[in-house]
Amino acid sequence: MVKAIVGANWGDEGKGKITDMLGQEADIIVRYQGGSNAGHTIINEYGKFALHLLPSGVFYKHTTSVIGNGVALNIPYLFKEIKSIVDRGVPMPKILVSDRAQIMMPYHILFDQYEEERLGGKSFGSTKSGIAPFYSDKYAKIGFQVSELFDEELLREKVDRVCEMKNILLEHMYHKPLIDKDELFATLLEYRDMVAPYVADVSAFLHEAIKEGKNILLEGQLGALKDPDFGIYPMVTSSSTLAAYGAIGAGIPPYEIKDIVSVVKAYSSAVGAGEFVSEIFGEEADELRRRGGDGGEYGATTGRPRRMGWFDAVASRYGCKMQGATEVALTVLDVLGYLDEVPVCVGYEIDGVVTKDFPTTAKLAKAKPVYVNLPGWKCDIRGIKKYEDLPENCRAYIEFIEKELEVPVTMISNGPGRDEIIYRNK
Ligand code: GDP
């Protein structure tokens, strides 16, 4: 059975926690897109971890952690991350890296920084992890596949060819130091030796696992609103964040994805630039940021303060729809216990007309939020295990959201820990 765990918002919905939790029953956990540009925060018996590239299953002895072909593979980063968890007492995980994954090159990271510098105030707010240059090169067919590391002659020839082109940009457009071809080639040979023990035909492995009836989790990064096609283009990421892409980024048949758990945050947060209709500011935002997540809403990769807002039903319903959500995990609900009233954005007013449909970016820029205020529950709901034990106003908030989302809310997360979850029947 293949299950996808994906974000319905702008990312940081708490997918890491849900994956870690559902990972208890999974045999294989797969990362299928993105790279080390976003973080998952996981709290378990070993401590608190911020993972960026490894799937959230690395803490279990019984799971195989897979980096699929769709991922932007930063090889030294992968090694650093493996070491960082093993050094803290986690047993060495079983890891497979797709021979078709492409490699994050050192120059991708530099080009990402240089381009943000060049754009100045008009920058995308990139995490500067090289993601956009990486995927551009992949689709321009000048990326390096893991498999290519194992043919030195061809590799050498390709390094020379690609460097020629990159150096023209570095010299004339960015006025930055050029790439040394020999140095880059040597670096790639180091990468080859680092990754060699993990390289596999991941797609074949997963096809076999499906045949054997194994439980497979596809772990998405970021959220639907950061998808290059369906998100707030151009303030999006460079690989698809949708569950559908899981089939491609892992190399499995699309019809095998039977369950799509869409993770939805009980309020909104976003990092980087881009339209954000229900955004709040000032003291109101500071308070939510301070109380949010686990120890405040700050980026797991960059430490940047996240932009905050109230729950946006228009964006979240659209996010669930584009994900093809079969069920919703509603997270960080415990954070809202301090509010007398909880605002929910239920519509967008665009040029005097209220809509419930999520528009394209140009229209989105004009949208003003239409709120309803629901009564708060004014207590701490952490530690509650049963849905019936939640305060009435809290249940009313969940049920209101569920109706807006048009997808059953089957899990409610009321704390960052693995066991802080309330299950509800579909
Ligand atoms: P991801 O990228 O979707 O995995 O999300 P992040 O890990 O960046 O952000 C989620 C943050 O919220 C992390 O710090 C989690 O530990 C924390 N978190 C997850 N679920 C809950 C919850 O239900 N309540 C609280 N208070 N924190 C949570």
Side-chain angles (χ1 to χ4, degrees):
M1 222 283 272
V2 184
K3 188 184 279 208
I5 299 165
V6 289
N9 304 129
W10 296 264
D12 307 317
E13 295 92 348
K15 295 175 295 294
K17 176 210 154 140
I18 302 294
T19 308
D20 179 57
M21 198 186 86
L22 296 178
Q24 295 176 66
E25 280 141 42
D27 301 300
I28 300 163
I29 306 186
V30 188
R31 277 286 310 270
Y32 63 88
Q33 41 88 227
S36 59
N37 51 325
H40 295 293
T41 314
I42 294 163
I43 298 167
N44 55 31
E45 68 267 33
Y46 300 105
K48 181 173 175 175
F49 296 87
L51 293 181
H52 300 96
L53 195 53
L54 286 169
S56 300
V58 288
F59 301 100
Y60 294 113
K61 286 189 204 72
H62 66 273
T63 61
T64 301
S65 298
V66 173
I67 310 265
N69 53 280
V71 170
L73 176 68
N74 183 328
I75 294 175
Y77 201 102
L78 177 70
F79 280 78
K80 207 175 78 189
E81 199 154 281
I82 295 172
K83 186 171 180 316
S84 76
I85 63 165
V86 173
D87 283 354
R88 285 176 61 193
V90 178
M92 180 61 200
K94 255 187 281 161
I95 295 171
L96 294 181
V97 174
S98 169
D99 54 2
R100 290 179 182 274
Q102 294 210 4
I103 301 158
M104 175 64 70
M105 304 293 273
Y107 55 77
H108 287 142
I109 297 163
L110 295 173
F111 274 104
D112 206 353
Q113 290 164 7
Y114 299 161
E115 183 61 9
E116 288 282 297
E117 262 173 55
R118 193 180 73 86
L119 292 173
K122 294 204 157 39
S123 77
F124 290 93
S126 158
T127 58
K128 304 189 184 76
S129 320
I131 298 298
F134 168 91
Y135 283 106
S136 311
D137 280 1
K138 175 172 174 177
Y139 293 107
K141 297 174 286 189
I142 51 169
F144 288 79
Q145 226 182 40
V146 164
S147 65
E148 291 175 306
L149 293 174
F150 297 90
D151 185 330
E152 281 191 36
E153 209 175 306
L154 281 178
L155 185 66
R156 178 81 241 193
E157 188 262 321
K158 190 165 174 182
V159 164
D160 290 354
R161 185 159 40 89
V162 172
C163 280
E164 224 169 87
M165 182 183 175
K166 297 291 172 197
N167 280 340
I168 292 173
L169 286 174
L170 287 169
E171 187 177 349
H172 299 289
M173 179 138 159
Y174 296 109
H175 314 292
K176 296 284 185 187
L178 304 191
I179 303 167
D180 181 311
K181 291 183 210 171
D182 297 332
E183 212 176 283
L184 181 64
F185 183 66
T187 303
L188 289 179
L189 296 185
E190 275 172 37
Y191 284 7
R192 178 194 61 192
D193 296 342
M194 288 165 112
V195 81
Y198 306 102
V199 176
D201 180 344
V202 157
S203 168
F205 170 78
L206 293 176
H207 272 82
E208 197 52 39
I210 290 170
K211 230 189 269 168
E212 288 167 8
K214 294 269 164 63
N215 282 326
I216 301 170
L217 290 185
L218 301 177
E219 179 180 17
Q221 183 216 36
L222 293 168
L225 303 169
K226 292 278 188 183
D227 183 74
D229 285 271
F230 294 101
I232 51 171
Y233 189 85
M235 299 304 180
V236 292
T237 193
S238 302
S239 67
S240 175
T241 57
L242 302 183
Y245 189 75
I248 298 159
I252 58 169
Y255 54 77
E256 292 293 351
I257 306 175
K258 305 289 186 212
D259 190 6
I260 298 171
V261 179
S262 206
V263 185
V264 174
K265 216 161 163 155
Y267 52 89
S268 300
S269 72
V271 282
E275 304 312 329
F276 182 0
V277 177
S278 66
E279 184 167 14
I280 54 174
F281 304 92
E283 183 41 43
E284 195 181 35
D286 288 344
E287 175 148 40
L288 184 56
R289 185 179 302 110
R290 239 185 350 260
R291 292 172 177 271
D294 178 37
E297 291 281 0
Y298 301 91
T301 304
T302 57
R304 291 187 287 190
R306 290 178 181 149
R307 296 163 66 195
M308 306 304 299
W310 300 125
F311 182 79
D312 183 338
V314 179
S316 303
R317 178 173 50 249
Y318 172 79
C320 286
K321 190 164 142 189
M322 297 327 297
Q323 289 293 9
T326 54
E327 54 183 311
V328 162
L330 185 67
T331 57
V332 295
L333 188 62
D334 52 301
V335 169
L336 300 180
Y338 72 99
L339 294 162
D340 294 325
E341 282 194 320
V342 196
V344 175
C345 171
V346 292
Y348 291 170
E349 191 192 315
I350 303 171
D351 295 330
V353 180
V354 174
T355 178
K356 284 176 102 50
D357 295 325
F358 193 79
T360 50
T361 311
K363 287 188 187 144
L364 195 60
K366 295 198 262 177
K368 291 186 192 69
V370 177
Y371 287 114
V372 297
N373 287 318
L374 300 183
W377 45 95
K378 298 295 286 176
C379 67
D380 186 2
I381 59 163
R382 282 188 73 174
I384 294 178
K385 298 277 175 217
K386 285 209 265 326
Y387 188 71
E388 308 76 69
D389 295 342
L390 286 170
E392 195 181 335
N393 286 349
C394 183
R395 276 181 280 133
Y397 184 73
I398 297 164
E399 286 160 32
F400 185 89
I401 284 179
E402 181 174 52
K403 218 161 148 205
E404 288 286 322
L405 293 178
E406 299 169 6
V407 181
V409 175
T410 56
M411 288 169 248
I412 295 137
S413 174
N414 59 339
R418 190 182 269 175
D419 302 322
E420 293 181 285
I421 194 82
I422 298 167
Y423 290 99
R424 251 174 111 217
N425 294 330
K426 271 200 205 188

